[in-house]
Amino acid sequence: MEEYSTLEGTVHSIIFQNPDNGYTVLRLLTDEGEVVNTVGCLPCAAPGERMLLTGRMEVHPQHGEQFSVRDAERRMPAEEDEILSYLSSGAIKGVGPATAARMVERFGSETLDVIERAPEKLTQLKGVTSKRAMEIAQSFRSQMELRRLMEFLARFELPIVLAMLLEKRYGGTALDVLRENPYLLAGGTFGVEFSTADEIAISLGIPADSACRVEAAVLFELDHNADNGHVFLPREKLIDATARLLECGCEQVERALDDLMERCAVVQEQVANVTACYLRRLYDAERYAQRKIELLLSAAADQGGGVEELIGRIEEEQGISYAPAQRQAVELAARQGVLLLTGGPGTGKTTSVRGIVALFRRMGLDTVLAAPTGRAAKRMGELCGMEAQTIHRLLGMSFSESTGEVSFIKGEKEPLEADAVIVDEMSMVDLMLMAALLRALRPGCRLVMVGDPDQLSAVGAGNVFSDLIRSGRIATVALREIFRQAERSAIVRNAHAVNEGRLPALDNDQGDFFFLRRRDPVRTAATIVELVQTRLPEKMGVPVEQIQVLTPTHKGEAGTVNLNRVLQAALNPRRPDRRERSWGERLFREGDRIMQTKNDYDVVWEKPDGTVGTGMFNGDVGRIEQIDPSGEWLTVNFDDRLATYTADQLSEIDLAYAMTVHKAQGSEYRCVVLSAVNAAPALMVRGVLYTAITRARELLIVVGDEAAVGRMTENDRQQKRYSGLKWRLRGGERA
Ligand SMILES: Nc1ncnc2c1ncn2[C@@H]1O[C@H](COP(=O)(O)OP(=O)(O)OP(=O)(O)O)[C@@H](O)[C@H]1O
């Protein structure tokens, strides 16, 4: 266990302070008379302030010994000399050392009280007009408000950065707003657990049956289930889950739900035989998606005259002869406003898309290519020989700091100029993104959606791709034939076998697919390290950077957490010239491969050509280039973008030597090493194994237990997601 110690004293001087996240380096004069270098999140800290700190001594490679703060109890300066050094430090706008001295001489230990509560008295001092007195009071009060907000959050062990977000959203009244309704912290923008918001409410004496509590719980349940993929919840389930969360009666929840419906925060509608309750934004997205798709379908393209001849010329040009289904796909793309193209690996999707692109070009259609992730877009662009972008970029995404909401420049008012949009990796597109994309299409714009419906579902809410397919309303071409070139690959053969519920061949004479039996997770992890560190680079000529270790789970010896630890130790061990920075349980080192684990629209990046932008997205992988000696920021190289992370953004990155199969969705690697050991039942499913296998382009090594491989192959249970899109497209509402 970590050994923590305490340190008590007065701030002597501030060496560095980041106003955005509160990261501070200061000198503390302890009560024993020692000066100790201290680092941590201590926003607005100023000389003269008293602190009782908990933390531990660390040895920094550049700065030597320093005390790293975990918790802080802070008191404003009370003694005259403390107040003087606080005010002299420039902590308050409009007060310099000379004014500070005059203030303390006149008001003594009451000085701070006078500034806050009776600033008019300051005009008794020479040179202080009433305007200046008010400015001084204003500066001090807003600092105090922020401090009180921070102290309030700190009492509930909430991250200090929340104070900055709350202040941006609610200004100087943030603490009052929060005291009135602490539940606004739960879920959504601020991402706090309901139970924590509840704890705050209880401490403030808010009654358990208050309307704001029950309503917040209903919204929290809907939000939480949307994170698990559900677009709506059946009314009964929602009421039941909320009542269990609150340990209250169902009638109370029903009342809250009705109030929320009245205010249109929740929408209730009959979907088939289910009474569905939707969060407003998801309801709007689903309705919009249905209507816009119908609009695109009704603007029947049918400009198919002479298409056969054009296809013939394209075949000649590309030196290829399309299989019947591929030909049908290219033809339908010309004739239909909306087309779905589905197929597993090696079934010729990309070849068909290339044909569609060539055909659209000849038809004079302005075509754009897009995919849900950066990696998928990059690959699509390379294979199709023209630029492809992420859907977010195509739509001109922006992020509002004050509301925490994402918005898109492109939409109904300012649609894309394109005549046709082709989207790859559709299985990863969730409902909100689909609605945003549809909003940006002009009526009459063609939409071709390509993907493999057997891949794992999108991370966000919805079943968009399979709902569209199963609605039966949209022209669909399913490519089933595996092409001969692809058929030679055991990766492709085994992927199809698994998809059909047959065990993959594990007999090791297959060129690109190998199985190493390790029944014990500890040995599995050891073998994976050996493969990545020596065997694959030395014996198979695969550079370490082109190998990705995948595993179904975070937990256990062969889960991401442990694999990352042992792979880091083997591939990027501790060295005197490589700086380190720890964050919670994680240790980052210069040279480490890392991954962004959530969307952050604030991370600033720069390209070598000087282009600057913001935003890194869930699943982006990069390498730590430099850790600042103060530990306050680090830079990460993502392909060609150098991104800077501040200390409070470190919670959003993790080591990526190993990652879960879910996180690898939409990415491809030259070589995949898959850890196949037992994990939680929800993860031992066919979709996980199938997705893992199809991530490997040239080489796949499965390390583990064939029983685990068997369990995954057999279990094709897919988690049911509540969604109404298929039903709506089938005309359910009109029935
Ligand atoms: N009509 C065709 N005639 C001959 N070969 C073809 C034809 N269509 C595709 N191929 C070949 O089959 C292989 C797989 O095709 P393609 O890359 O288009 O499939 P895919 O479905 O996009 O596969 P993946 O999802 O694995 O990338 C390629 O080598 C491609 O050249």
Side-chain angles (χ1 to χ4, degrees), residues 320-323 326 343-352 354 379 383 479 483-486 492 668:
I320 199 165
S321 159
Y322 291 126
Q326 285 177 310
T347 54
K349 294 186 298 295
T350 310
T351 310
S352 311
R354 272 207 297 261
R379 173 170 178 267
L383 292 174
L479 301 176
F483 283 94
R484 217 175 317 129
Q485 288 94 321
V492 172
E668 250 195 20

Side-chain angles (χ1 to χ4, degrees), residues 152-361:
F152 183 82
L153 295 170
R155 253 191 279 147
F156 300 96
E157 295 183 4
L158 287 168
I160 300 279
V161 278
L162 265 185
M164 317 285 182
L165 288 179
L166 286 161
E167 205 212 10
K168 275 184 194 142
R169 181 87 173 243
Y170 302 107
T173 58
L175 187 54
D176 295 335
V177 175
L178 199 58
R179 279 178 192 282
E180 204 157 296
N181 181 8
Y183 293 104
L184 57 84
L185 289 172
T189 318
F190 303 110
V192 171
E193 279 296 317
F194 183 84
S195 55
T196 310
D198 219 17
E199 197 188 316
I200 300 176
I202 292 166
S203 79
L204 293 172
I206 295 178
D209 60 354
S210 67
C212 72
R213 178 172 190 251
V214 188
E215 286 178 14
V218 171
L219 294 175
F220 182 80
E221 278 299 339
L222 285 172
D223 230 11
H224 176 74
N225 278 282
D227 283 347
N228 288 334
H230 300 293
V231 179
F232 66 78
L233 275 189
R235 184 179 165 98
E236 298 307 305
K237 277 199 189 263
L238 174 61
I239 290 173
D240 192 49
T242 312
R244 264 188 288 129
L245 177 72
L246 298 180
E247 296 176 357
C248 72
C250 290
E251 318 73 56
Q252 218 178 319
V253 179
E254 289 191 21
R255 263 201 310 279
L257 184 54
D258 291 342
D259 284 346
L260 286 167
M261 274 156 40
E262 211 155 281
R263 297 209 310 272
C264 294
V266 173
V267 180
Q268 179 175 304
E269 209 174 84
Q270 198 64 21
V271 170
N273 52 2
V274 179
T275 308
C277 293
Y278 289 83
L279 284 173
R280 180 57 191 252
R281 66 186 162 87
L282 289 170
Y283 176 78
D284 289 345
E286 192 173 279
R287 285 302 303 266
Y288 186 87
Q290 170 222 343
R291 291 207 195 114
K292 187 64 175 272
I293 286 168
E294 281 171 354
L295 184 75
L296 296 176
L297 286 171
S298 67
D302 208 20
Q303 297 161 2
V307 166
E308 286 88 358
E309 199 196 316
L310 283 181
I311 296 179
R313 268 195 253 148
I314 293 167
E315 283 182 304
E316 238 170 73
E317 217 174 73
Q318 303 199 345
I320 199 165
S321 159
Y322 291 126
Q326 285 177 310
R327 175 177 291 272
Q328 193 197 7
V330 182
E331 266 185 44
L332 280 177
R335 296 188 203 282
Q336 301 283 334
V338 189
L339 176 70
L340 297 166
L341 179 59
T342 71
T347 54
K349 294 186 298 295
T350 310
T351 310
S352 311
V353 169
R354 272 207 297 261
I356 295 171
V357 169
L359 180 71
F360 282 175
R361 192 174 297 137

